[in-house]
Amino acid sequence: MAESDETPSPATTPSTAPIYIHPRREPFEHGLLPIPKLIFTDGTQTLGPIKDKLLSSLSSSESSTTHQRVNTESIAESLQISPEHARLVLETIACVLHSDSDPLVTAKPSEVGSVGVNVFDLVVFLYIQSYKRLLPKGHKDSAAVADVWPSTSAFDGFLSALSPLQLVRSNSRRNMPSQSDEEAHQLSYLQKHLENILSLLSEAVEGEGDETLVLSAEKFEHLGFLFYFGEKGSERIPLSQNAPFFANSDPDMPAVPVPAAQVHDWLLQNIASALERITERASAKENGPTSAIDQDVPMADVSASSVKSSLSPRGPNFIEGISKTSYVRQQNDLKGSSVKVVNCHESVIYILAPLKYATVYGCSDATIFLGAVGKAVRVEHCERVHVIAAAKRICIVNCRECVFFLGVNQTPLVVGDNHKLQVAPYNTFYSQLEEHLNVVGIDPAINKWDEPVALGVVDPHDSLSHPAGVSDVQTESASRIDPDQFTNFLIPHWFEGEQSGSTKNNPFPLPDAYMASQQRRQKNLEEIKQSLREAELEESRKKELTTALHQCFKDWLYASGNIRQLYCLQND
């Protein structure tokens, strides 16, 4: 659509460079639930009546205010889902809402169901459940694939060539979608569905043609769930601050609603400009040298001796390609509040920082420690990985033989095709942990590590043609780790550098069975040490015993893979 003089695109001010519109990644990365009854593919035909039903469930006093909030009971009844799934909807929306001051975001866990969500935030959330994620491109070099994934997977053969893990294995980071690819895909989806979304937020008035639908300033704010303005190195600018419709309105007087068609045209112009810019930048990257500071450039085949992370104030911090080493990131090393750990293998990764979001993708035979994540963690396409996380919530997708040591305030979500997953209580600490938990709003007194919720074996948000009926199959859940197999994880104090805090112990209380197991193990260790001290052995026998103990310890170091971590710690 051609640009007009009245509504310039992208948004500009007389003294600054153009500011482009962007999709909020959080709803698309952490806000999609594979529950069939939440996925509407008929645009507004079904969602329109559901919105009306939700609004009609409000009392007259509630519907006359700007709150218009619905609770768990109303959501369950209107969507014909269970109360458990209705609460899951509320918890998911809370982790991806654009306003941190919303009552749902600030509610205590016991209050989430009664506080509820604004009807129009819920409607926008439900609409984007039809989104399909962007697929990676195929990889032509099978030798490169074998080098990264040398072992056979339990997934191989499942869904034939469309197995999610096979898909990951057939792609190097270079052929995976970049942040720009994903952003363009999300913008294109919103561009296609924008008219429907606006109609759900608009109100009908007397008139003719397109102007029979109008959008109020209050309803316009809900589009902030999907869009914002901003560039790298700057803070996100709320959508309303760059909109010409309600600028300079009197805060004491309600702004006059504007035609939905006018808002539609303005947003389409900004989206078109943003997509054009993404295309131009992609073309420049293909035809010219890559910029070292361009955070959208994926780093393929990164070795331990080269750059291992990229930082972006607007986007996530990438830690990728770490192989056969230990790697540490602290709060001062990160910009922004999101981290993505991608394609890391046979390594130990420590992130000692407060975060909002964290993603672990395509990793194998690694231990990944995530400090304190206040919104959501997503672990996807991983094999034989130990994840240690203190978080508000975690979603586990298409993983096998992984162990999760969790301190989580919400039930873990298990989605897709998973095999031999285990969950365990949180098992470590560092000196600033309690401070970081407080910063991001995690309550260590609440830990639902042992209450995983398993959804469908296929994620309907992936752009895959799955066999009919597979999406209805129940995914394999996670089992609790045996208390006798539970061990604590040690974070070396020198990793924290000059940082110091008050945390001296694990702030998440251990369940009785795991505490008893720890105490038995400690008692047995003390008894063995005492027996060795009291043993009356000849000097030659003492040497034999010492040699045998050292050999057993060495065998354990190699068998467990801890020899690499010990070597890295010695170097550090």
Side-chain angles (χ1 to χ4, degrees), residues 502-518:
S502 59
T503 305
K504 305 298 181 185
N505 295 288
N506 182 354
F508 292 89
L510 282 179
D512 292 343
Y514 293 86
M515 178 61 74
S517 176
Q518 293 283 79

Side-chain angles (χ1 to χ4, degrees), residues 37-293:
K37 287 188 176 181
L38 301 183
I39 301 173
F40 304 98
T41 56
D42 56 2
T44 59
Q45 292 181 28
T46 305
L47 267 178
I50 286 176
K51 179 194 73 173
D52 295 338
K53 186 176 182 180
L54 288 165
L55 290 172
S56 66
S57 70
L58 301 172
S59 66
S60 57
S61 61
E62 291 172 323
S63 59
S64 62
T65 68
T66 58
H67 299 294
Q68 297 177 313
R69 308 187 75 84
V70 286
N71 59 20
T72 302
E73 183 179 347
S74 296
I75 294 172
E77 181 182 352
S78 299
L79 297 176
Q80 294 297 295
I81 58 178
S82 67
E84 292 75 20
H85 280 177
R87 181 179 176 88
L88 183 57
V89 166
L90 287 175
E91 292 175 341
T92 304
I93 294 175
C95 89
V96 296
L97 266 179
H98 53 298
S99 172
D100 285 339
S101 61
D102 188 276
L104 180 60
V105 178
T106 58
K108 297 178 180 178
S110 60
E111 301 171 342
V112 166
S114 58
V115 168
V117 63
N118 184 284
V119 169
F120 295 95
D121 284 331
L122 173 61
V123 167
V124 174
F125 167 82
L126 291 173
Y127 194 97
I128 66 166
Q129 297 303 307
S130 64
Y131 175 76
K132 298 279 188 179
R133 295 189 184 94
L134 181 62
L135 278 180
K137 303 174 185 178
H139 196 290
K140 299 178 181 179
D141 188 356
S142 58
V145 176
D147 181 58
V148 176
W149 295 99
S151 63
T152 302
S153 168
F155 294 135
D156 291 346
F158 183 77
L159 298 186
S160 186
L162 298 177
S163 165
L165 196 57
Q166 286 180 321
L167 182 65
V168 172
R169 290 183 175 188
S170 66
N171 290 275
S172 71
R173 179 70 176 109
R174 187 178 300 279
N175 290 293
M176 289 173 59
S178 69
Q179 291 293 295
S180 292
D181 294 333
E182 292 178 348
E183 183 167 303
H185 186 64
Q186 292 161 10
L187 279 174
S188 297
Y189 168 85
L190 293 172
Q191 184 183 48
K192 177 181 177 182
H193 294 277
L194 185 58
E195 186 174 3
N196 284 339
I197 294 171
L198 285 173
S199 70
L200 290 168
L201 297 177
S202 302
E203 299 176 25
V205 295
E206 294 294 332
E208 297 180 359
D210 293 337
E211 294 193 2
T212 55
L213 287 179
V214 297
L215 194 67
S216 67
E218 185 269 327
K219 299 294 185 356
F220 181 81
E221 291 288 346
H222 296 287
L223 289 171
F225 189 90
L226 302 173
F227 298 104
Y228 71 94
F229 281 94
E231 295 307 308
K232 291 176 185 174
S234 64
E235 295 296 324
R236 293 186 176 188
I237 302 170
L239 192 66
S240 58
Q241 290 186 20
N242 265 319
F245 319 111
F246 308 109
N248 302 318
S249 59
D250 188 343
D252 297 326
M253 293 287 291
V256 177
V258 299
Q262 184 180 352
V263 178
H264 183 241
D265 290 345
W266 178 77
L267 283 171
L268 284 182
Q269 290 174 14
N270 277 279
I271 291 173
S273 294
L275 287 171
E276 182 180 355
R277 184 193 186 214
I278 291 173
T279 301
E280 290 174 351
R281 293 176 65 192
S283 176
K285 290 174 188 175
E286 290 177 2
N287 300 325
T290 359
S291 169
I293 62 172

Side-chain angles (χ1 to χ4, degrees), residues 418-458:
N418 300 279
H419 291 274
K420 298 182 180 179
L421 302 184
Q422 291 182 294
V423 290
Y426 196 74
N427 67 340
T428 190
F429 68 93
Y430 59 99
S431 67
Q432 289 187 296
L433 177 57
E434 287 172 300
E435 177 186 336
H436 291 171
L437 293 176
N438 187 57
V439 167
V440 300
I442 297 173
D443 184 356
I446 301 173
N447 193 358
K448 298 189 176 183
W449 67 274
D450 59 344
E451 303 176 27
V453 174
L455 297 178
V457 71
V458 165

Side-chain angles (χ1 to χ4, degrees), residues 11-19:
T12 60
T13 63
S15 59
T16 62
I19 302 174

Side-chain angles (χ1 to χ4, degrees), residues 172-413:
S172 71
R173 179 70 176 109
R174 187 178 300 279
N175 290 293
M176 289 173 59
S178 69
Q179 291 293 295
S180 292
D181 294 333
E182 292 178 348
E183 183 167 303
H185 186 64
Q186 292 161 10
L187 279 174
S188 297
Y189 168 85
L190 293 172
Q191 184 183 48
K192 177 181 177 182
H193 294 277
L194 185 58
E195 186 174 3
N196 284 339
I197 294 171
L198 285 173
S199 70
L200 290 168
L201 297 177
S202 302
E203 299 176 25
V205 295
E206 294 294 332
E208 297 180 359
D210 293 337
E211 294 193 2
T212 55
L213 287 179
V214 297
L215 194 67
S216 67
E218 185 269 327
K219 299 294 185 356
F220 181 81
E221 291 288 346
H222 296 287
L223 289 171
F225 189 90
L226 302 173
F227 298 104
Y228 71 94
F229 281 94
E231 295 307 308
K232 291 176 185 174
S234 64
E235 295 296 324
R236 293 186 176 188
I237 302 170
L239 192 66
S240 58
Q241 290 186 20
N242 265 319
F245 319 111
F246 308 109
N248 302 318
S249 59
D250 188 343
D252 297 326
M253 293 287 291
V256 177
V258 299
Q262 184 180 352
V263 178
H264 183 241
D265 290 345
W266 178 77
L267 283 171
L268 284 182
Q269 290 174 14
N270 277 279
I271 291 173
S273 294
L275 287 171
E276 182 180 355
R277 184 193 186 214
I278 291 173
T279 301
E280 290 174 351
R281 293 176 65 192
S283 176
K285 290 174 188 175
E286 290 177 2
N287 300 325
T290 359
S291 169
I293 62 172
D294 191 336
Q295 309 307 333
D296 282 331
V297 179
M299 296 185 300
D301 307 319
V302 180
S303 67
S305 60
S306 61
V307 178
K308 304 184 184 72
S309 70
S310 61
L311 309 178
S312 172
R314 183 168 61 81
N317 300 272
F318 273 93
I319 298 172
E320 52 188 308
I322 306 299
S323 179
K324 300 182 179 180
T325 189
S326 292
Y327 186 70
V328 186
R329 271 289 175 262
Q330 299 178 40
Q331 185 173 0
N332 294 337
D333 301 321
L334 304 174
K335 295 181 181 179
S337 56
S338 298
V339 164
K340 287 190 175 184
V341 181
V342 181
N343 285 356
C344 295
H345 311 284
E346 298 183 59
S347 299
V348 183
I349 296 170
Y350 305 82
I351 302 174
L352 311 179
L355 303 166
K356 285 187 177 181
Y357 299 96
T359 299
V360 179
Y361 186 94
C363 298
S364 67
D365 301 290
T367 296
I368 298 169
F369 171 78
L370 303 171
V373 186
K375 296 288 188 179
V377 174
R378 183 177 178 89
V379 183
E380 189 170 6
H381 295 308
C382 290
E383 293 189 353
R384 299 176 301 279
V385 169
H386 286 197
V387 176
I388 305 167
K392 184 67 65 71
R393 62 185 279 125
I394 186 169
C395 182
I396 303 162
V397 188
N398 298 332
C399 294
R400 76 155 189 169
E401 298 178 36
C402 295
V403 185
F404 300 86
F405 298 87
L406 302 176
V408 287
N409 289 171
Q410 298 175 10
T411 55
L413 190 59

